[in-house]
């Protein structure tokens, strides 16, 4: 399929009342959502400061007390009378775009809201021990002044350790370290029976260790995690390089920006950070970063850009200037670089507040940005949610690096969504087959970016309103996502489950591998206590009866294997 083909022709769509509500939603955002968001951010910051005043010993004592409360609560549950177990967190609080409809079924709540402290930063072991509700803004405030950071720091401040482990987490350093869960060295898990265990890759709970990522908290409650730290420097030396051509040319420019060519795998010039933003079918900007010292950044002739200030241009728009002025280099304070997409929520902020990127808004009210995603969700009714599902796309496509050209062509033709975000990550070959896994035999074929122990994948972030919607044409978001999922299954790709999924159960287990997950579900008593990962991710309302019947119908053979046998 050539990217020069015309996009699909769609009939015109008649506007309905929801269109006008969405168009003027900025009024509610400015006068309600932004002030409350700013207040919540400030209160959270004060809570972090208060936590930092406590000694690590005190935090650990409080942690142990809170763990005992969770154990006691689980032991109070009567399986024959109470519903399935889930957290007491309100559905709208989560950053993900799913409606969390599974909480509409009767369930047994366990409160984990106290688990929001950094328990230890061990500079000898290079480990940060964190509770699940520690977010990325909190951890970087604590570690960056020490010239330390998590190996993978997800870009948005509000993303939590628990969400990134049980769900999906990636950053510009993932081409070196893998996904967020790949940087965890130990999990503290409270199992269904209240037993608390420490799982590592080489102890008696190693199967649980490998099964936790992507499980969405359906194997047990995460109490804490020990996460790998790396040494860093004060600045990120960032190079912006424009690329032009058709979408295959853009894909090649992206791949060549960080992946050594054949015979050059030992090249020490691989950057510390990588991302590419594609602004239209013919233009993109590749960005590569390397850590730099304060002394280097302040040398004569070097430009320092503090992108974190509220009045600064939004990062994706700043990067786009490379298309006009050509390749350039600048130095960004490291913590500000980590959270470069927070203020404008990548480019979603442009839809929420169409004028918030203008200089007059940035200088006058930019300090209120960003709106909390949880509040945006809380202030939209079901009609608005359905509108966004049908007229908007928020999806990530995880595809093998060599298939990026095909994926970009597919998105361009089927969805017409721009900008696109490209970020590479290693998908490791592990001792056991986890829910996501590299292509069989990748180590023999060894394409560009691959190593003997990991296949290079890419996250293609598709976040925006399709061009057909802007043109007033019909766009079937449900059908588009369904076709995207089918394409991913056919190309050994994966779909992070923070987003709305149209997968039925059979297709879900064709995309993901059920073997280890189901084995651990049965071994550690999760069946009948925690909802299965498919039903937790499934779109739409769920009744307790539906879920319980699905639990009883555990299949002996994973769907993926059944499909292959057919």
């Amino acid at each position: 399929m050539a990217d020069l083909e015309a996009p699909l022709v769609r009939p015109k769509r008649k506007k309905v009342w929801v269109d006008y509500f969405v168009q003027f939603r900025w009024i509610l955002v400015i006068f309600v959502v932004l002030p409350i968001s700013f207040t919540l951010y400030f209160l959270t910051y004060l809570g972090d400061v208060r936590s930092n005043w406590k000694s690590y010993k005190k935090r650990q004592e409080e942690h142990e007390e809170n763990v005992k409360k969770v154990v006691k609560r689980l032991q109070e549950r009567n399986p024959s009378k109470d519903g399935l177990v889930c957290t007491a967190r309100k559905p709208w609080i989560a950053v993900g775009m799913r409606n969390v409809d599974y909480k509409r079924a009767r369930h047994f709540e366990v409160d984990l809201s106290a688990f929001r402290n950094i328990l230890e930063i061990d500079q000898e072991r290079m480990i940060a021990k964190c509770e699940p509700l520690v977010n990325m803004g909190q951890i970087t405030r604590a570690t960056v002044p020490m010239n330390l950071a998590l190996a993978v720091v997800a870009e948005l401040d509000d993303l939590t350790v628990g969400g990134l482990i049980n769900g999906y987490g990636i950053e510009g350093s993932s081409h070196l370290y893998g996904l967020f869960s790949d940087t965890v060295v130990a999990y503290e898990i409270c199992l269904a029976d209240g037993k608390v265990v420490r799982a590592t890759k080489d102890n008696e709970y190693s199967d649980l260790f490998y099964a936790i990522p992507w499980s969405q908290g359906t194997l047990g409650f995460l109490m804490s995690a020990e996460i790998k730290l790396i040494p860093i420097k004060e600045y990120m030396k960032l190079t912006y390089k424009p690329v032009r051509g058709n979408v295959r040319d853009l894909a090649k420019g992206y791949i060549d920006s960080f992946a050594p060519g054949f015979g050059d795998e030992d090249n020490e010039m691989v950057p510390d950070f990588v991302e590419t933003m594609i602004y239209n079918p013919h233009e993109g900007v590749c960005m590569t970063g390397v850590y730099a010292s304060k002394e280097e950044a302040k040398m004569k002739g070097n430009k320092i850009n503090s992108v974190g200030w509220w009045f600064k241009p939004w990062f994706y728009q700043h990067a786009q200037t490379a298309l006009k002025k050509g390749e350039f280099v600048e130095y960004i304070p490291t913590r500000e670089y980590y959270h470069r997409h927070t203020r404008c929520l990548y480019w979603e902020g442009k839809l929420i507040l169409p004028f918030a990127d203008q200089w007059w808004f940035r200088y006058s009210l930019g300090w209120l940005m960003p709106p909390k995603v949880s509040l945006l969700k809380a202030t939209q009714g079901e009609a608005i949610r359905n509108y966004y599902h049908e007229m908007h796309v928020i999806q990530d496509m995880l595809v093998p690096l060599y298939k990026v050209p095909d994926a970009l062509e597919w998105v361009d033709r089927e969805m017409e969504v721009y900008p696109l975000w490209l970020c590479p990550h290693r998908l490791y070959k592990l001792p056991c087959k986890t829910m996501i896994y590299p292509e069989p035999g990748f180590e023999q074929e060894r394409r560009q970016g691959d190593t003997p122990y990991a296949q290079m994948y890419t996250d293609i972030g598709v976040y925006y309103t399709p061009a057909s919607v802007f043109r007033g044409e019909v766009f079937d978001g449900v059908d588009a996502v369904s076709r995207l999922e089918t394409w991913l299954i056919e190309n050994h790709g994966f779909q992070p489950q923070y987003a709305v999924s149209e997968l039925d159960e059979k297709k879900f287990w064709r995309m993901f591998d059920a073997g280890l997950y189901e084995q651990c579900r049965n071994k550690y008593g999760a069946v009948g206590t925690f909802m299965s990962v498919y039903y937790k991710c499934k779109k739409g309302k769920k009744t307790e009866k539906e879920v319980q019947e699905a639990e009883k119908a555990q299949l002996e053979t994973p769907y993926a294997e059944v499909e292959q046998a057919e």
Side-chain angles (χ1 to χ4, degrees):
M1 183 188 298
D3 67 293
L4 295 178
E5 293 181 47
L8 297 176
V9 177
R10 298 181 173 92
K12 290 293 183 180
R13 171 180 168 271
K14 186 178 180 180
K15 282 193 173 184
V16 295
W17 70 268
V18 182
D19 291 281
Y20 299 101
F21 188 91
V22 170
Q23 182 180 352
F24 293 101
R25 195 172 175 222
W26 59 266
I27 299 173
L28 178 68
V29 173
I30 284 183
F31 293 105
V32 178
V33 176
L34 280 184
I36 297 176
S37 295
F38 181 81
T39 302
L40 291 176
Y41 280 124
F42 183 67
L43 292 175
T44 300
Y45 171 75
L46 291 180
D48 295 346
V49 170
R50 182 172 175 270
S51 176
N52 289 337
W53 286 344
K54 300 174 185 175
S55 66
Y56 286 135
K57 181 180 178 181
K58 177 66 174 175
R59 294 183 219 175
Q60 184 62 40
E61 289 174 353
E62 291 180 357
H63 173 76
E64 291 170 1
E65 287 300 315
N66 289 327
V67 169
K68 289 178 182 177
K69 292 177 183 178
V70 172
V71 171
K72 181 181 178 183
R73 175 66 175 158
L74 278 174
Q75 291 173 344
E76 291 172 351
R77 175 175 174 263
N78 184 334
S80 63
K81 295 182 179 180
D82 297 321
L84 294 170
V85 174
C86 71
T87 69
R89 200 179 191 192
K90 297 299 181 184
W92 52 269
I93 292 179
V95 175
M97 297 312 297
R98 285 186 293 115
N99 291 340
V100 201
D101 288 317
Y102 67 89
K103 289 200 173 183
R104 298 188 186 187
R106 183 169 66 91
H107 55 269
F108 184 82
E109 292 186 346
V110 178
D111 186 4
L112 300 182
S113 61
F115 291 84
R116 52 189 330 111
N117 294 312
I118 300 170
L119 300 176
E120 184 180 13
I121 296 177
D122 189 332
Q123 298 188 52
E124 290 186 9
R125 295 175 58 219
M126 292 295 283
I127 296 295
K129 185 177 181 181
C130 302
E131 292 180 321
L133 293 182
V134 170
N135 64 39
M136 293 299 99
Q138 182 181 356
I139 191 69
T140 56
R141 274 194 297 270
T143 59
V144 169
M146 303 178 185
N147 279 355
L148 298 173
L150 300 182
V152 174
V153 182
E155 286 91 349
L156 302 183
D157 284 26
D158 274 358
L159 297 174
T160 63
V161 166
L164 295 168
I165 288 171
N166 283 300
Y168 164 70
I170 191 172
E171 227 279 15
S173 59
S174 289
H175 66 297
L176 297 175
Y177 302 105
L179 299 177
F180 188 89
S181 54
D182 293 316
T183 67
V184 178
V185 298
Y187 300 108
E188 182 187 15
I189 303 292
C190 183
L191 301 175
D193 61 358
K195 182 179 180 181
V196 179
V197 302
R198 182 175 183 268
T200 69
K201 64 182 179 181
D202 52 9
N203 73 0
E204 61 182 307
Y205 298 104
S206 60
D207 54 351
L208 184 62
F209 176 85
Y210 287 114
I212 288 293
W214 292 71
S215 67
Q216 299 286 344
T218 60
L219 294 172
F221 285 130
L222 178 66
M223 300 285 92
S224 70
E226 298 171 42
I227 312 166
K228 180 180 180 180
L229 290 169
I230 60 170
I232 63 169
K233 296 179 181 178
E234 294 89 349
Y235 285 84
M236 186 65 63
K237 180 183 178 183
L238 195 64
T239 301
Y240 303 78
K241 183 177 181 179
V243 287
R244 290 182 171 87
N246 59 37
V247 290
R248 301 192 78 86
D249 295 328
L250 301 183
K252 186 177 188 310
Y254 159 69
I255 294 170
D256 289 343
S257 73
F258 73 94
F262 295 108
D264 196 25
E265 286 82 1
D266 295 328
N267 188 344
E268 296 181 358
M269 299 304 292
V270 175
D272 295 317
F273 276 78
V274 176
E275 72 175 333
T276 288
M277 286 183 276
I278 297 180
Y279 294 93
N280 58 61
H282 303 287
E283 294 180 315
V285 176
C286 299
M287 284 153 282
T288 54
V290 293
Y291 287 111
S293 66
K294 180 169 55 177
E295 292 73 22
E296 177 185 343
K298 294 187 176 181
M299 288 177 63
K300 187 176 180 180
N302 290 340
K303 179 182 178 182
I304 294 177
N305 183 9
S306 297
V307 299
W309 285 104
W310 74 87
F311 51 81
K312 287 280 190 172
W314 288 357
F315 183 77
Y316 83 96
Q317 294 176 341
H318 170 66
Q320 192 174 9
T321 62
L323 295 174
K324 288 186 177 180
K325 63 183 183 181
E327 182 175 335
F328 67 96
V329 177
E330 64 184 12
Y331 292 78
I332 300 174
T334 297
R335 186 170 185 271
E336 295 182 26
Y337 176 77
Y338 285 155
H339 303 296
R340 61 200 177 279
H341 293 299
T342 291
R343 189 155 46 96
C344 54
L345 301 174
Y346 289 92
W347 30 85
E348 286 286 317
K350 183 69 174 172
L351 291 174
I352 299 166
L353 289 170
F355 44 78
D357 58 337
Q358 300 300 306
W359 68 267
W360 56 268
F361 184 92
R362 287 189 276 110
Y363 275 87
S364 60
L365 293 174
W367 52 276
L368 288 172
M369 292 290 284
K372 287 185 78 71
V373 174
S374 56
L375 279 177
L376 291 172
K377 291 168 64 178
T379 55
Q380 63 184 22
E382 190 161 352
I384 305 299
R385 283 202 305 269
N386 292 335
Y387 176 91
Y388 281 124
H389 292 167
E390 294 166 5
M391 301 292 158
H392 195 75
V393 179
I394 299 184
Q395 296 284 338
D396 285 86
M397 304 169 65
L398 274 61
V399 300
L401 181 63
Y402 74 93
K403 291 189 175 180
V404 168
D406 296 334
L408 292 183
E409 284 189 337
W410 190 94
V411 172
D412 181 58
R413 178 168 174 79
E414 302 291 334
M415 289 186 167
E416 287 188 275
V417 172
Y418 291 97
L420 297 173
W421 184 66
L422 274 62
C423 184
H425 70 90
R426 280 178 170 164
L427 189 54
Y428 289 98
K429 181 181 179 181
L430 300 172
C432 51
K433 196 174 183 182
T434 56
M435 281 185 66
I436 65 168
Y437 53 95
E439 291 180 297
F442 80 90
E443 61 269 50
Q444 278 78 45
E445 297 195 38
R446 289 286 299 279
R447 297 178 175 88
Q448 187 175 0
D450 294 349
T451 63
Y453 53 86
Q455 184 178 13
M456 193 63 75
Y457 265 62
T458 281
D459 180 340
I460 301 176
V462 189
Y463 327 123
Y464 213 56
T465 298
S468 58
V469 175
F470 286 126
R471 294 194 298 263
E473 299 170 358
V474 169
F475 178 80
D476 188 338
V478 172
D479 179 63
V481 170
S482 182
R483 286 184 285 111
L484 177 148
E485 291 165 339
T486 299
W487 190 94
L488 286 173
I489 291 171
E490 292 171 350
N491 289 274
H492 201 84
F494 303 97
Q495 173 195 41
Q497 294 303 315
Y498 76 86
V500 176
S501 171
E502 302 296 337
L503 291 169
D504 60 29
E505 192 166 6
K506 184 174 182 179
K507 286 186 176 180
F508 185 90
W509 291 120
R510 283 185 62 200
M511 181 180 290
F512 302 101
D513 188 84
L516 178 65
Y517 172 76
E518 293 293 359
Q519 175 186 322
C520 287
R521 289 266 298 164
N522 286 284
K523 179 178 177 180
Y524 295 107
V527 176
T529 301
F530 297 103
M531 185 178 291
S532 73
V533 67
Y534 167 71
Y535 276 87
K536 193 168 184 179
C537 297
K538 181 184 176 185
K539 179 181 174 183
K541 299 178 181 179
K542 308 166 186 66
T543 65
E544 184 184 8
K545 181 179 178 181
E546 176 188 24
V547 176
Q548 294 284 15
E549 287 177 351
E551 291 290 292
K552 293 176 182 177
Q554 289 285 331
L555 295 178
E556 296 181 1
T557 306
Y559 278 124
E561 294 182 11
V562 172
E563 188 70 18
Q564 291 170 4
E566 294 173 353

